[in-house]
Amino acid sequence: MLNIFRNRKLGILLSQRRERLYRLANSWCHDAMLADDLVQDTLRKALQKSDQLKDDSKLDAWLFRILHNTWMAYLRKNKPTLDFDEEKSQELTTPESLLSDQERCERVRVAISRLPISQRSVVSLVDIEGCRYHEVSEILDIPIGTVMSRLNRARTALKKQLIGIRKENTLFQKQDYLRRVK
Amino acid sequence: MPATMSERLNALVDGELGQEERAELLGKIEQDPKLKAELCDIHRIKDLVGFAYPLQDKNQEIKQKPWLRIGKMAASLLLVLGIGFMSGYVSSSLLSSDSIDSTLLQAQALPQINEPQNKVIIYLGSSEKKKFEETLNKAETLLKKYRTAGTAVYVVTSAGGIDLLRANNSGIQQRIKKMRGLYATNLHFVACNNQIYQLHQKGQDVNLVDEVEVAPSAVQFVVNHLKKGWRYIAI
């Protein structure tokens, strides 16, 4: 009886997290259909392994870990292709001031998709899901020092792709429109 | 292996440093313009990544045709925007009745996704001088009372509000510099690039004070932070 209540409660909690899981999966794989499949698989595994979750406050980290393992399993079976990068590479030459919000989103997503998978996983968990370093360490099963170094490398690479391009914007060259805190 | 300076800056932005380490690093940043610039870039990248992945209905993203999807996303953004600014207006009305400090208490009481405790956006869209002062006073009041690790106040300007951050107002400029000196990474001033672009199109030069950061869109910046649970005050 208790199990029925627990599973019902877990089902509600899982459905509440579905969109976040999908967003995270999409930031990793950049494929809407695949992200949906990964989330479905993750939710199915979560329900099957619900006994493993001892502390409800760690539900998010537990789900992210299952999602990550599911994605890794997928990658082991299917080698990633470079189609996405090749298809989108032209977009990075457009001045940012001419982009709509949607295009700007797309540009950032392309930049993220170009990161190595190990860095992409970390930066998504920290900047999209707001995970703490120790949580990322547990989810990905890597030391905190590795979390920090991967995050630093990811952001440095993103900076080169995204902020560097803004400085090429001819519309604002004279005014140096992108200011930095001094 | 000890963390590199860049890794420590990342940790500072992510609120991962202890009080002592944070104070030590802030001291170094204060003395080094390169570190300040790097810190600003990290903030910017963090915001851009969060901006690129808003929560949305996955079914729409998968099934709809691209043109329809973009149209609906724009519509939903406007809806969220309207709700966000309306809630901000309500917050503002409540807050102006001598209860600024209750904002942060409310923020702590609300269910949050990304631990945005003590994180407030003050939005200014007016060029009225008294509103400039009101904005800075509110920011200062919040920071004085809640100068703890993780407290952050973003003064976000758009439309006429961008005049607050233009370098032609020496009195305000000095106050902003002083506040930045006092509160360092707890306080940020943000100008809307869309507004700067429009002013440029009208032939106006826009010289901003040095401490200002530029967001692609103030509206999107605010919406993005509201979704993460930040509190919003409209002046």
Side-chain angles (χ1 to χ4, degrees):
Chain A
M1 196 67 171
L2 277 176
N3 264 348
I4 293 172
F5 281 120
R6 180 172 165 75
N7 283 342
R8 187 171 293 173
K9 185 184 163 194
L10 184 64
I12 294 168
L13 292 172
L14 292 181
S15 67
Q16 287 169 347
R17 280 152 179 84
R18 192 186 182 93
E19 285 187 23
R20 285 177 64 199
L21 286 169
Y22 172 77
R23 176 175 66 170
L24 185 61
N26 202 18
S27 76
W28 287 344
C29 70
H30 295 91
D31 179 326
M33 295 295 284
L34 174 58
D36 195 41
D37 287 346
L38 291 175
V39 172
Q40 292 280 10
D41 215 12
T42 298
L43 296 176
R44 182 182 55 77
K45 287 176 185 170
L47 282 170
Q48 281 176 352
K49 299 176 181 177
S50 61
D51 290 347
Q52 290 179 4
L53 181 65
K54 304 296 178 197
D55 180 356
D56 284 356
S57 68
K58 293 190 172 177
L59 176 63
D60 287 346
W62 182 65
L63 286 173
F64 294 156
R65 183 167 186 155
I66 296 175
L67 179 64
H68 186 258
N69 289 341
T70 305
W71 186 45
M72 287 294 109
Y74 171 84
L75 290 178
R76 277 192 292 274
K77 280 186 187 170
N78 309 275
K79 287 183 182 175
T81 65
L82 295 174
D83 292 349
F84 187 84
D85 287 358
E86 288 162 2
E87 185 187 325
K88 302 288 183 181
S89 60
Q90 283 292 323
E91 293 184 18
L92 293 179
T93 59
T94 312
E96 181 164 343
S97 62
L98 301 180
L99 298 176
S100 66
D101 283 343
Q102 177 61 24
E103 289 167 327
R104 190 174 289 112
C105 266
E106 196 58 39
R107 170 177 285 192
V108 177
R109 290 180 181 200
V110 170
I112 292 170
S113 75
R114 290 178 173 173
L115 295 174
I117 289 167
S118 58
Q119 292 175 26
R120 209 186 304 164
S121 308
V122 173
V123 80
S124 296
L125 284 166
V126 175
D127 288 345
I128 298 172
E129 284 305 328
C131 291
R132 307 303 302 261
Y133 290 0
H134 71 87
E135 290 174 320
V136 179
S137 166
E138 284 174 21
I139 292 164
L140 302 181
D141 199 19
I142 53 177
I144 285 188
T146 308
V147 172
M148 293 175 77
S149 61
R150 286 184 186 175
L151 182 63
N152 182 39
R153 286 202 295 275
R155 284 179 175 161
T156 303
L158 291 174
K159 188 169 86 175
K160 281 179 187 164
Q161 291 190 61
L162 298 171
I163 294 185
I165 286 163
R166 289 172 64 86
K167 287 174 184 166
E168 290 167 13
N169 183 345
T170 53
L171 283 171
F172 294 95
Q173 265 181 355
K174 287 182 184 172
Q175 293 302 321
D176 186 19
Y177 85 107
L178 179 64
R179 298 290 184 124
R180 288 174 166 172
V181 178
K182 287 189 176 176
Chain B
M1 192 165 59
T4 65
M5 179 53 81
S6 290
E7 288 168 5
R8 291 174 66 201
L9 288 175
N10 277 288
L12 178 67
V13 168
D14 295 323
E16 292 281 343
L17 295 183
Q19 193 67 28
E20 204 171 305
E21 198 177 357
R22 187 169 173 270
E24 185 203 333
L25 187 54
L26 286 174
K28 285 183 181 168
I29 292 167
E30 208 49 46
Q31 307 292 323
D32 189 338
K34 280 186 181 173
L35 291 182
K36 282 188 184 178
E38 190 176 347
L39 190 70
C40 179
D41 284 344
I42 294 169
H43 269 294
R44 170 94 186 121
I45 290 299
K46 188 177 176 68
D47 284 340
L48 277 173
V49 173
F51 165 78
Y53 289 95
L55 276 179
Q56 55 198 318
D57 187 344
K58 67 173 185 58
N59 293 322
Q60 285 181 3
E61 184 156 339
I62 293 167
K63 290 174 184 169
Q64 286 175 356
K65 292 176 181 174
W67 59 268
L68 189 60
R69 198 167 70 213
I70 290 168
K72 288 207 172 183
M73 280 180 74
S76 61
L77 181 65
L78 282 173
L79 181 64
V80 170
L81 194 67
I83 293 167
F85 274 78
M86 281 169 69
S87 64
Y89 178 75
V90 173
S91 296
S92 175
S93 308
L94 293 170
L95 289 166
S96 55
S97 58
D98 303 320
S99 61
I100 280 180
D101 51 347
S102 68
T103 320
L104 298 177
L105 294 175
Q106 287 169 20
Q108 286 171 341
L110 287 170
Q112 309 290 8
I113 296 171
N114 293 323
E115 300 182 29
Q117 292 178 357
N118 299 1
K119 295 186 190 300
V120 180
I121 284 183
I122 303 176
Y123 176 78
L124 175 67
S126 164
S127 59
E128 285 179 53
K129 203 170 179 181
K130 69 172 187 182
K131 292 204 169 182
F132 286 0
E133 288 181 4
E134 192 186 339
T135 301
L136 297 179
N137 289 343
K138 259 181 189 172
E140 197 150 35
T141 306
L142 288 168
L143 288 162
K144 269 183 187 167
K145 290 202 173 188
Y146 301 96
R147 201 174 178 181
T148 56
T151 297
V153 174
Y154 274 82
V155 175
V156 181
T157 64
S158 185
I162 215 164
D163 288 351
L164 172 71
L165 306 177
R166 291 172 85 163
N168 51 7
N169 188 338
S170 60
I172 295 282
Q173 192 177 344
Q174 279 183 357
R175 187 167 174 201
I176 288 174
K177 274 182 187 294
K178 191 179 164 192
M179 286 173 73
R180 280 283 304 159
L182 275 173
Y183 302 109
T185 56
N186 298 69
L187 174 65
H188 297 265
F189 293 92
V190 179
C192 173
N193 190 46
N194 288 340
Q195 180 64 20
I196 297 171
Y197 177 76
Q198 283 176 22
L199 292 170
H200 272 273
Q201 294 292 85
K202 291 176 185 170
Q204 290 185 35
D205 285 341
V206 183
N207 293 313
L208 300 174
V209 296
D210 290 334
E211 285 73 14
V212 174
E213 297 166 47
V214 177
S217 154
V219 165
Q220 185 58 51
F221 186 90
V222 172
V223 170
N224 200 27
H225 283 73
L226 283 174
K227 285 179 182 172
K228 291 179 180 172
W230 283 52
R231 299 294 293 171
Y232 170 65
I233 303 171
I235 301 295

